[in-house]
Amino acid sequence: MKQGSYLSIMSQWNQVQQLEIKFLEQVDQFYDDNFPMEIRHLLAQWIENQDWEAASNNETMATILLQNLLIQLDEQLGRVSKEKNLLLIHNLKRIRKVLQGKFHGNPMHVAVVISNCLREERRILAAANMPVQGPLEKSLQSSSVSERQRNVEHKVAAIKNSVQMTEQDTKYLEDLQDEFDYRYKTIQTMDQSDKNSAMMNQEVLTLQEMLNSLDFKRKEALSKMTQIIHETDLLMNNMLIEELQDWKRRQQIACIGGPLHNGLDQLQNCFTLLAESLFQLRRQLEKLEEQSTKMTYEGDPIPVQRTHMLERVTFLIYNLFKNSFVVERQPCMPTHPQRPLVLKTLIQFTVKLRLLIKLPELNYQVKVKASIDKSIASLNVWALPNMPQKVYFLKDKINVCLPKKSHGKGRTRNTPKIRSLFQQQPKEMKSSAGGKGNEGCHMVTEELHSITFETQICLYGLTIDLETSSLPVVMISNVSQLPNAWASIIWYNVSTNDSQNLVFFNNPPPATLSQLLEVMSWQFSSYVGRGLNSDQLNMLAEKLTVQSSYSDGHLTWAKFCKEHLPGKSFTFWTWLEAILDLIKKHILPLWIDGYVMGFVSKEKERLLLKDKMPGTFLLRFSESHLGGITFTWVDHSENGEVRFHSVEPYNKGRLSALPFADILRDYKVIMAENIPENPLKYLYPDIPKDKAFGKHYSSQPCEVSRPTERGGKGYVPSVFIPISTIRSDSMEPHSPSDLLPMSPSVYAVLRENLSPTTIETAMKSPYSAE
């Protein structure tokens, strides 16, 4: 068995477990308490057999799936109870309780979570199967980036250790000063006669030495603190902020289908350790001030240096906090999880904020204010850390649904989530139906907006104002605008690192073709579970440019999304988006298995088939019909001449009536002898048709009913069978309609001219399993 066939038979979870460690680490990132990996492992096959994506938009279906999930867990509990696996029993009981409590009132959320996890698995599997990384992915995974991450963690740990050392120095100074104070007061209480004694003189000398030592230690401690402040300043303004910007760039790429952006937990650890160190340093400076207040002397360094040092530490704290407030998950409509940053009026969207400084003192209620472009009336919302709440953007008033205050002892993270229903109207839009209307649609979908979030925290006597913004979003009023809006999001995030360039489309820069094709492959891996190989990408490159090599080419925004393809009435992006929609809704299993070649030109198609056995066929997407898929097969004439036959493309309307795998199984042509037969025998290069598609057949092969058979209410049972006619006087069909699937009325004529026995015999698939 070929490797590709073997992988298609394996469950998705089994394929995931065989990945290299670097890909397994990506998988580990998105499994948490919302959907524990133990459940994914124990219920792998059952989970993969459910339609979680459909359930994420259907509350009834989601409720049933949640109940079935809990039943499946109960069955697993019964099984492991017999095996007396105490640890697994304990974990499963805990997980069941958590799932039931968390999702009981919102079953659609568990469907969204599981659907997202399965989709990310498919994307990672697709990335692992790609022979070569693209330029964007290479840049995100360079060794220099990993080296800087390690350097940042090392320097943060070194600063933390240095502050611990100055903590000991401060304590030593306090003890030394207490001893000096005790000795000094002891002398003050001595009799006048004792003050002139030799012992008194020796005690004075000792005090002088202690004062000198105290002065030296104060200067040494302040010098060490000054060095820590300097090192912290350099680390924050160079390496740490650069690391944060790299994470934000990875987030940009992940939003358009690229690799998952991990590393935020590591950044939070660094930010938290630095915050702890700075607050500890601030307390040490305050202790030094107390010591200086109790005892000062001429040349005391504390009054001279402490104020300036405290200002610098406070400034660093403010700066650290301002950079620590980030948008962890960009605005996204739950109905379109693969299309973040596109928001539709009256449709709820979610956004997740995170404070990268995790201190016990910050576990309290904070107030978040959100605004659109800072020109629309602001929204005030009380948000609890790590607690979801619903927020409704209304024209006249603000509704806030807060969670009930929890009195439990559960662990919290500084990650407030906001769920928002956006009801502000974008600018008036022109009709999107052709001509100027289409241009009006482009104008709307090229308008970028930013959602700004503001909050204020009070900590250790400091009041800090925080602000962060989402990546630019596109707002639409009609779902038909979503494809062009998504194209704008892709072009923006692939072309610039600037997270707030709202006038980007006033003069959009060109994108390198190699980067753009890599992103196109991501659209397929993230949206339909399988990326594009080099041959498929070459075909897309040829459609976009006359060059067959795309290594150094550039592409303009107009060429990608606004100008029609040569000789066509649609743009490249409209054509590609229609194919994505076709795959998602009608041929997803076939695409994931790798049996749809898809992107291959007619010329390349004939080169591939001409030397193959008669009946060899391949599946490709139509270049002339939006959202169409066709198949072409090869056969030989009586004189041995090679002939190619292509059926008119099937669109979503026809595929809604009959699954594509069933079409391939039951497809018939009427040859010169007027005997219907199935010409499709081997999927390119040489895979028997039923071996490739057998598991996707949705029913038994269609059999024609005899006129004597009676169905319901006295009717003869009817069947729908795709049939085409091939003329005997030509190697090629005269027109595409010659290979159009036969309608029921035409088929009725066929039945009048052929006996039922002949038709029944011809209709039976010669390749079905015996």
Side-chain angles (χ1 to χ4, degrees):
M1 182 178 290
K2 296 185 178 181
Q3 184 179 7
S5 301
Y6 173 66
L7 287 177
S8 68
I9 293 172
M10 292 173 61
S11 74
Q12 181 172 308
W13 184 243
N14 284 337
Q15 294 181 50
V16 167
Q17 293 179 85
Q18 295 184 11
L19 291 172
E20 297 178 20
I21 185 66
K22 64 178 181 179
F23 295 110
L24 290 176
E25 289 175 352
Q26 294 182 36
V27 175
D28 183 59
Q29 292 291 325
F30 53 83
Y31 280 104
D32 53 23
D33 288 342
N34 284 326
F35 184 36
M37 191 178 288
E38 295 96 323
I39 302 305
R40 178 68 179 97
H41 181 76
L42 289 171
L43 305 179
Q45 197 61 58
W46 181 84
I47 287 171
E48 292 173 28
N49 289 337
Q50 314 308 311
D51 192 348
W52 297 101
E53 184 159 352
S56 65
N57 295 306
N58 186 320
E59 186 168 3
T60 301
M61 185 177 179
T63 302
I64 294 172
L65 279 183
L66 176 58
Q67 291 302 318
N68 288 341
L69 176 63
L70 296 175
I71 291 171
Q72 291 288 327
L73 274 178
D74 288 337
E75 292 178 358
Q76 289 293 326
L77 265 170
R79 182 183 61 80
V80 299
S81 296
K82 295 178 182 178
E83 299 173 0
K84 298 181 179 180
N85 188 332
L86 183 60
L87 180 60
L88 187 55
I89 292 172
H90 172 79
N91 287 338
L92 287 180
K93 285 183 177 179
R94 177 184 59 82
I95 290 170
R96 191 193 189 288
K97 183 177 180 181
V98 169
L99 290 179
Q100 189 170 23
K102 183 173 292 187
F103 300 118
H104 178 70
N106 188 9
M108 291 171 63
H109 185 53
V110 72
V112 170
V113 170
I114 297 178
S115 176
N116 288 343
C117 288
L118 293 176
R119 185 178 64 256
E120 287 300 331
E121 286 180 9
R122 291 194 296 269
R123 189 199 62 77
I124 292 172
L125 285 170
N129 291 327
M130 289 296 287
V132 180
Q133 284 183 325
L136 283 171
E137 191 164 353
K138 282 183 179 178
S139 68
L140 297 177
Q141 298 179 358
S142 65
S143 58
S144 60
V145 173
S146 300
E147 183 65 26
R148 188 178 64 245
Q149 289 174 345
R150 289 191 291 270
N151 286 339
V152 168
E153 292 174 357
H154 174 75
K155 289 183 179 294
V156 168
I159 288 173
K160 182 69 175 176
N161 289 334
S162 297
V163 172
Q164 292 298 110
M165 296 297 293
T166 55
E167 183 73 25
Q168 297 177 17
D169 292 342
T170 305
K171 178 63 177 170
Y172 176 78
L173 278 170
E174 186 177 9
D175 293 341
L176 185 61
Q177 183 167 317
D178 287 345
E179 184 180 355
F180 179 90
D181 186 58
Y182 174 76
R183 286 177 176 269
Y184 181 78
K185 289 180 178 179
T186 300
I187 290 177
Q188 293 297 105
T189 59
M190 293 177 66
D191 293 336
Q192 187 64 34
S193 58
D194 293 337
K195 290 182 179 181
N196 297 323
S197 66
M199 185 178 69
M200 177 63 179
N201 293 334
Q202 182 61 40
E203 190 65 23
V204 170
L205 289 175
T206 301
L207 283 174
Q208 185 61 52
E209 290 176 358
M210 290 181 67
L211 182 60
N212 292 339
S213 178
L214 186 67
D215 180 64
F216 175 78
K217 288 294 183 181
R218 283 184 175 182
K219 291 177 179 177
E220 183 182 51
L222 290 168
S223 176
K224 289 181 180 179
M225 292 179 185
T226 301
Q227 183 63 27
I228 292 172
I229 294 170
H230 177 68
E231 291 176 357
T232 303
D233 194 358
L234 288 177
L235 176 61
M236 281 177 50
N237 293 312
N238 293 323
M239 300 177 70
L240 186 61
I241 301 304
E242 188 176 352
E243 190 68 24
L244 180 61
Q245 293 304 318
D246 277 350
W247 176 83
K248 290 182 178 181
R249 178 56 179 162
R250 291 196 296 273
Q251 185 188 52
Q252 274 188 278
I253 296 302
C255 281
I256 55 175
L260 283 176
H261 57 291
N262 49 31
L264 198 58
D265 288 339
Q266 292 91 324
L267 275 173
Q268 176 173 288
N269 184 56
C270 292
F271 270 84
T272 300
L273 287 176
L274 276 183
E276 290 173 348
S277 299
L278 288 171
F279 278 119
Q280 189 174 1
L281 200 60
R282 194 168 182 266
R283 289 191 295 270
Q284 291 172 12
L285 288 169
E286 291 170 350
K287 284 184 179 180
L288 289 180
E289 182 184 25
E290 293 174 4
Q291 293 175 19
S292 180
T293 301
K294 290 180 180 179
M295 192 198 80
T296 188
Y297 50 87
E298 186 178 351
D300 185 358
I302 294 178
V304 178
Q305 299 183 43
R306 190 203 69 86
T307 301
H308 176 64
M309 291 174 65
L310 188 60
E311 288 176 354
R312 289 188 65 191
V313 170
T314 303
F315 174 79
L316 289 176
I317 290 173
Y318 274 94
N319 196 28
L320 187 69
F321 269 89
K322 286 181 181 295
N323 283 287
S324 71
F325 191 40
V326 299
V327 179
E328 180 178 0
R329 190 176 302 144
Q330 293 292 331
C332 182
M333 296 184 293
T335 52
H336 295 82
Q338 295 95 356
R339 299 290 188 265
L341 302 173
V342 178
L343 308 180
K344 182 182 178 298
T345 55
L346 306 181
I347 297 296
Q348 189 181 73
F349 69 90
T350 63
V351 60
K352 184 177 182 180
L353 309 176
R354 184 165 177 175
L355 189 63
L356 297 179
I357 297 175
K358 185 180 179 181
L359 300 175
E361 294 82 0
L362 289 174
N363 283 333
Y364 64 89
Q365 198 170 17
V366 296
K367 184 179 182 180
V368 177
K369 182 175 71 173
S371 57
I372 309 296
D373 296 339
K374 292 193 173 182
S375 61
I376 297 176
S378 297
L379 163 76
N380 295 317
V381 51
W382 289 98
L384 294 175
N386 202 35
M387 297 287 286
Q389 54 279 320
K390 292 186 178 180
V391 183
Y392 298 91
F393 286 70
L394 300 178
K395 292 181 180 178
D396 302 320
K397 62 180 181 178
I398 297 164
N399 287 354
V400 180
C401 299
L402 289 176
K404 294 180 179 179
K405 190 170 183 180
S406 173
H407 298 283
K409 298 181 179 180
R411 183 179 61 176
T412 62
R413 297 170 63 194
N414 304 312
T415 53
K417 299 176 184 176
I418 297 178
R419 298 181 182 273
S420 309
L421 179 67
F422 185 75
Q423 287 194 285
Q424 302 292 344
Q425 294 292 336
K427 294 183 180 179
E428 185 175 352
M429 303 174 187
K430 300 179 183 178
S431 169
S432 60
K436 294 181 180 179
N438 191 45
E439 181 64 27
C441 178
H442 277 298
M443 290 174 62
V444 169
T445 56
E446 291 174 9
E447 289 184 6
L448 300 177
H449 305 267
S450 179
I451 305 177
T452 301
F453 304 95
E454 299 172 79
T455 189
Q456 186 180 84
I457 61 171
C458 298
L459 190 66
Y460 299 127
L462 299 177
T463 300
I464 307 173
D465 294 318
L466 304 179
E467 178 180 306
T468 190
S469 296
S470 70
L471 288 169
V473 301
V474 174
M475 297 186 293
I476 62 176
S477 60
N478 192 294
V479 73
S480 64
Q481 298 164 330
L482 194 145
N484 282 335
W486 180 240
S488 297
I489 295 299
I490 289 175
W491 199 268
Y492 181 93
N493 288 290
V494 77
S495 302
T496 179
N497 295 351
D498 189 345
S499 62
Q500 291 301 308
N501 184 5
L502 301 184
V503 295
F504 174 85
F505 282 103
N506 287 355
N507 185 26
T512 63
L513 197 52
S514 57
Q515 287 185 345
L516 193 60
L517 290 169
E518 182 181 12
V519 175
M520 293 303 97
S521 181
W522 290 346
Q523 302 313 296
F524 283 82
S525 61
S526 62
Y527 194 63
V528 292
R530 187 183 183 91
L532 305 179
N533 60 34
S534 56
D535 290 334
Q536 292 167 325
L537 291 174
N538 270 310
M539 190 271 188
L540 293 182
E542 290 170 3
K543 285 192 74 70
L544 287 166
T545 175
V546 295
Q547 302 172 350
S548 59
S549 172
Y550 54 83
S551 57
D552 298 317
H554 283 76
L555 193 73
T556 64
W557 167 241
K559 184 86 171 178
F560 177 70
C561 190
K562 301 182 77 170
E563 297 175 2
H564 289 173
L565 290 168
K568 303 295 188 297
S569 61
F570 45 80
T571 66
F572 170 83
W573 174 250
T574 302
W575 173 73
L576 197 69
E577 178 74 10
I579 289 173
L580 281 166
D581 189 61
L582 172 80
I583 296 173
K584 185 74 170 181
K585 295 179 179 177
H586 299 289
I587 59 170
L588 185 61
L590 279 62
W591 173 260
I592 291 176
D593 282 353
Y595 290 144
V596 180
M597 187 174 293
F599 297 104
V600 55
S601 65
K602 293 180 180 179
E603 295 76 15
K604 180 68 174 293
E605 176 184 66
R606 297 192 172 198
L607 285 175
L608 294 174
L609 290 175
K610 67 184 181 68
D611 296 325
K612 295 300 178 181
M613 294 181 293
T616 301
F617 67 100
L618 56 78
L619 312 177
R620 67 175 176 85
F621 300 122
S622 172
E623 298 182 63
S624 57
H625 293 67
L626 282 178
I629 185 170
T630 183
F631 47 84
T632 298
W633 73 92
V634 62
D635 67 12
H636 297 153
S637 64
E638 292 181 359
N639 60 11
E641 190 173 5
V642 177
R643 300 183 300 186
F644 304 94
H645 307 283
S646 298
V647 72
E648 185 178 21
Y650 288 84
N651 58 23
K652 59 183 180 182
R654 294 174 187 160
L655 295 176
S656 296
L658 194 63
F660 194 48
D662 290 0
I663 290 174
L664 296 173
R665 179 195 60 196
D666 298 330
Y667 181 75
K668 303 289 190 288
V669 295
I670 302 177
M671 308 299 288
E673 298 83 0
N674 288 328
I675 302 297
E677 64 178 46
N678 192 324
L680 310 178
K681 299 179 180 179
Y682 304 100
L683 178 68
Y684 179 88
D686 55 5
I687 307 173
K689 180 185 63 179
D690 289 339
K691 182 177 181 181
F693 302 108
K695 67 177 182 178
H696 301 301
Y697 297 155
S698 63
S699 62
Q700 294 298 317
C702 295
E703 296 185 3
V704 178
S705 303
R706 290 181 169 85
T708 56
E709 296 176 352
R710 293 292 171 182
K713 297 184 179 180
Y715 291 107
V716 175
S718 62
V719 294
F720 177 61
I721 302 173
I723 300 179
S724 300
T725 302
I726 295 183
R727 300 176 183 235
S728 59
D729 58 346
S730 173
M731 183 180 71
E732 298 288 340
H734 288 233
S735 69
S737 61
D738 288 336
L739 294 185
L740 180 67
M742 187 171 289
S743 67
S745 61
V746 175
Y747 184 66
V749 175
L750 175 67
R751 288 183 52 144
E752 291 178 2
N753 293 277
L754 294 175
S755 68
T757 304
T758 301
I759 294 177
E760 183 176 5
T761 302
M763 291 296 178
K764 290 184 177 179
S765 172
Y767 310 110
S768 59
E770 296 180 358

